[in-house]
Amino acid sequence: MSNPVYAPNAVTLFNSAVNGFENFAVGSVSSGPVDLSASTDVLLAVTVLPGALAGTAPSLTVQIDGVDPAGNPIPAMLKTTVIAAAGTYTVCGGLHSSALVLPAMGRVTVTLGGAGAAATGIQITLTGR
């Protein structure tokens, strides 16, 4: 865990390319632990390139779940709208933007719905400050 002192400069907390978290099938999958301890605010950015979503009526959501000290999830502290087309989608939250107090640890969860849906090359970045 990093030093839990507030850092006013933005840092990348999670990057899907670095973490091998870019391709998804129907269902939900969560990343490994993400250290949120030095952040009071976060920005979740999801970029879906043209042709990245396939299948019948694909619907993608990406959320940040908190994890309490006992390891229990705190679901959907931040969540994108339903993504069904190419584009960049962002959501932010934290102490200064939405009065959300972030726990020390979190995780990124991706849920994909749709008949035979697949999502490839999804770019997810979580930035904190």
Side-chain angles (χ1 to χ4, degrees), residues 16 21-24 44-55 58-62 80-90 110-112 117-125:
S16 59
F21 199 71
E22 302 173 289
N23 302 317
F24 308 97
L44 173 63
V46 180
T47 300
V48 177
L49 300 174
L53 297 176
S59 61
L60 179 77
T61 57
V62 180
T80 65
T81 59
V82 173
I83 299 169
T88 298
Y89 302 82
T90 61
V110 174
T111 303
L112 180 63
T120 56
I122 305 301
Q123 300 167 8
I124 304 167
T125 303

Side-chain angles (χ1 to χ4, degrees), residues 6 13 36 38-45 63-64 76-80 90-103 125-129:
Y6 173 68
L13 304 174
L36 304 174
S39 301
T40 57
D41 298 283
V42 292
L43 170 69
L44 173 63
Q63 66 189 46
I64 303 302
M77 292 175 55
L78 292 175
K79 186 174 183 178
T80 65
T90 61
V91 62
C92 62
L95 188 61
H96 298 98
S97 60
S98 60
L100 172 67
V101 177
L102 299 169
T125 303
L126 182 62
T127 305
R129 68 163 181 87

